[in-house]
Amino acid sequence: MKGWLKIVGLGPGAEAMVTPEVSAALADATDVVGYVPYVERVAPRPGLVRHGSDNREEIRRAEQALQMTADGHRVVVVSSGDPGVFAMAAALFEALEAAGSDWRALDIQVLPGISAMLAASARLGAPLGHDFCCLNLSDNLKPWALIEKRLRLAAEADLAMAFYNPRSRARPEGFGRALQVLREVCGPRRPIMFARAVSTPQETLRVTTLDEATPDMADMRTLVMVGSSQTRYLEYHGGAWVYTPRSAS
Amino acid sequence: MKGWLKIVGLGPGAEAMVTPEVSAALADATDVVGYVPYVERVAPRPGLVRHGSDNREEIRRAEQALQMTADGHRVVVVSSGDPGVFAMAAALFEALEAAGSDWRALDIQVLPGISAMLAASARLGAPLGHDFCCLNLSDNLKPWALIEKRLRLAAEADLAMAFYNPRSRARPEGFGRALQVLREVCGPRRPIMFARAVSTPQETLRVTTLDEATPDMADMRTLVMVGSSQTRYLEYHGGAWVYTPRSAS
């Protein structure tokens, strides 16, 4: 049997946001590999083995997926959101490169998913409607000085910003420092949005300003967005739309 | 009858990338509104009126959608890719703001889609696997000087970059200037990727370097990506994966 490997995105949580091609890949797989809570989103069935592993086990998990593919399995590596945005696709290609060029003959595909950033943006309105950037605030794999440099340059470029991994249990102080940098360069009244567990029953949305924002508004399941200088609110009964207009001067 | 308005993303082209919630909205709609080629992606059926309009008619189209919603229609505004990334969602909220606060009582939802950026990234590997930005290169709605400033700052921040609207018929020279700026700040050997009409039968992918890139490699259906200083190729028989590792120093 010829094996294949599909690195797929399950979207932010709701079944209704899983693309048909990802559902088809899961229906045809012999093995599903990923971080425990994501693997658990795939319903068990006869003929499917679910391999859940811990967070920060990305490279070992990628090696396991490559080995099973070489052994003839039909393997799906699952990420939440999109696999190419701070998720398993980069880890898989790092492991593929380290494995040597023989391994590149494997049948590998990446199937995109609705990223947390796009789902959060849709719930809030259109905060990413103009130029934006997407930064990982975790300093696990890069120095804090680089994160701070990128925050300052992104603000100088007047981009809207989406932040992944704003606050980890291991480094709770980082996000507070990020907020301080942002207040300095964007001013106190700039909109900031906290979108937690979007599209799940635990979903919460909060729209505020940098001077009112506190580090505890984010946890590991929160996508944080900061508007550009052009970002606007439209209040309505029961909430507010946030959007960034298409034009800038 | 109570009307509603859903601003949805049809994904990059393939049916298999349209989310179930978007398909359900289309199945329940009385009216579909959008740019002609996107409206034509929705199959005609009894009870559904398709309102196709020209490019650059975004605000008039948004006003029409709001009016039909107020009149009790079930209206879907369609964009290609994701509606929140250089598409109809921002235009809709601009029109909503201009219409006055009474209009904000309408039942409005944004449903995300697989953006061209995520689809192209998946086809190529994981070029957006680390921090990145997403810029619209069209100078229709912003001055060229701002585009050039953002290119320089994004390069200084060492972000991977995704570019929408790299080259319009009206302003073919802009993309050539962008390439020149990028060569200056990123050096000649930086990877650049051209992904055209991803997931459609016309799909083409090209991976090259800034010194080999020419403006005619992009047209209006091309998503262009530039790697960061860390972006790597993995050549295999018949192609190359492009990915940006998760770590940086």
Side-chain angles (χ1 to χ4, degrees):
Chain A
M1 194 173 72
K2 180 137 168 43
W4 51 248
L5 174 56
K6 298 188 202 234
I7 307 146
V8 313
L10 296 176
E15 274 296 316
M17 291 190 197
V18 181
T19 66
E21 70 175 7
V22 167
S23 297
L26 290 168
D28 201 24
T30 56
D31 297 83
V32 174
V33 176
Y35 178 42
V36 171
Y38 307 151
V39 164
E40 281 171 357
R41 285 176 55 192
V42 181
R45 61 169 168 78
L48 180 71
V49 182
R50 299 188 303 171
H51 308 262
S53 48
D54 254 8
N55 212 347
R56 302 206 187 171
E57 298 270 317
E58 287 89 355
I59 291 297
R60 205 177 317 167
R61 188 188 296 150
E63 291 164 351
Q64 177 193 22
L66 289 168
Q67 185 61 59
M68 288 195 297
T69 307
D71 292 344
H73 295 226
R74 298 189 300 274
V75 181
V76 175
V77 173
V78 290
S79 289
S80 178
D82 180 81
V85 177
F86 309 124
M88 279 302 296
L92 200 290
F93 290 110
E94 289 172 39
L96 184 67
E97 181 167 16
S101 55
D102 284 0
W103 288 78
R104 299 183 196 167
L106 291 177
D107 177 3
I108 299 176
Q109 256 191 296
V110 183
L111 305 184
I114 301 291
S115 61
M117 168 178 73
L118 297 186
S121 179
R123 283 287 197 267
L124 290 159
L128 307 179
H130 189 76
D131 298 339
F132 65 93
C133 69
C134 180
L135 307 179
N136 189 335
L137 292 191
S138 163
D139 61 354
N140 274 340
L141 296 166
K142 65 188 165 199
W144 171 259
L146 182 60
I147 298 174
E148 186 168 328
K149 178 183 172 186
R150 286 178 178 164
L151 288 172
R152 290 184 187 278
L153 290 167
E156 197 184 331
D158 200 20
L159 302 176
M161 307 179 204
F163 301 137
Y164 280 70
N165 300 317
R167 195 155 180 260
S168 65
R169 222 165 304 177
R171 291 174 186 72
E173 71 284 3
F175 185 52
R177 288 159 74 184
L179 287 175
Q180 241 173 315
V181 170
L182 289 165
R183 272 183 218 113
E184 234 176 84
V185 288
C186 303
R189 303 303 299 159
R190 184 66 63 85
I192 181 168
M193 296 139 268
F194 297 86
R196 184 172 185 278
V198 167
S199 87
T200 76
Q202 293 82 42
E203 173 175 311
T204 57
L205 301 174
R206 188 202 292 249
V207 178
T208 183
T209 51
L210 283 175
D211 58 346
E212 307 270 344
T214 53
D216 59 288
M217 291 179 184
D219 66 8
M220 284 175 64
R221 296 185 71 191
T222 309
L223 193 285
V224 179
M225 285 188 278
V226 172
S228 77
S229 68
Q230 304 301 305
T231 301
R232 303 179 61 77
Y233 302 99
L234 292 185
E235 289 184 18
Y236 61 88
H237 183 71
W241 294 113
V242 184
Y243 81 98
T244 307
R246 298 162 305 147
S247 56
S249 51
Chain B
M1 194 173 70
K2 179 134 168 47
W4 51 248
L5 173 57
K6 298 187 202 237
I7 307 146
V8 314
L10 296 176
E15 272 297 317
M17 290 188 197
V18 181
T19 66
E21 69 175 6
V22 167
S23 297
L26 290 169
D28 202 23
T30 55
D31 298 83
V32 175
V33 176
Y35 178 42
V36 172
Y38 306 150
V39 164
E40 282 172 356
R41 285 176 54 191
V42 180
R45 60 169 169 79
L48 180 71
V49 183
R50 299 188 302 169
H51 309 262
S53 48
D54 254 8
N55 213 348
R56 301 206 188 172
E57 299 270 317
E58 287 88 355
I59 290 298
R60 204 175 318 165
R61 188 187 296 149
E63 291 165 352
Q64 178 194 21
L66 289 168
Q67 185 61 59
M68 288 195 296
T69 306
D71 292 344
H73 294 226
R74 298 189 300 274
V75 181
V76 175
V77 173
V78 290
S79 289
S80 178
D82 179 80
V85 178
F86 309 124
M88 279 302 295
L92 199 291
F93 290 110
E94 289 171 39
L96 185 67
E97 180 167 17
S101 56
D102 283 359
W103 288 77
R104 298 183 197 166
L106 292 178
D107 177 4
I108 299 176
Q109 256 192 297
V110 184
L111 305 184
I114 301 290
S115 61
M117 168 177 75
L118 297 186
S121 179
R123 284 286 197 265
L124 289 158
L128 307 179
H130 190 75
D131 298 339
F132 65 92
C133 68
C134 181
L135 307 179
N136 189 335
L137 293 191
S138 164
D139 61 356
N140 274 339
L141 296 168
K142 65 188 163 198
W144 171 260
L146 183 60
I147 298 174
E148 186 168 327
K149 178 181 172 186
R150 286 177 178 165
L151 287 172
R152 289 184 188 278
L153 290 166
E156 197 185 329
D158 201 19
L159 302 177
M161 307 181 204
F163 301 137
Y164 280 70
N165 300 316
R167 196 156 179 260
S168 65
R169 223 167 304 178
R171 291 174 185 71
E173 73 284 2
F175 186 52
R177 287 158 74 185
L179 287 176
Q180 242 173 310
V181 170
L182 289 165
R183 272 184 217 111
E184 232 176 84
V185 288
C186 303
R189 303 304 298 160
R190 184 66 61 86
I192 180 168
M193 297 139 267
F194 297 86
R196 186 173 184 278
V198 166
S199 88
T200 76
Q202 293 81 43
E203 174 176 310
T204 58
L205 300 174
R206 188 202 291 249
V207 178
T208 183
T209 50
L210 283 174
D211 58 344
E212 307 270 344
T214 54
D216 59 288
M217 290 179 184
D219 67 8
M220 283 175 63
R221 296 186 70 191
T222 309
L223 193 284
V224 179
M225 284 188 278
V226 171
S228 77
S229 68
Q230 305 301 304
T231 301
R232 303 179 61 77
Y233 302 100
L234 292 185
E235 290 185 16
Y236 62 88
H237 183 71
W241 294 112
V242 184
Y243 82 97
T244 307
R246 298 163 304 147
S247 57
S249 51

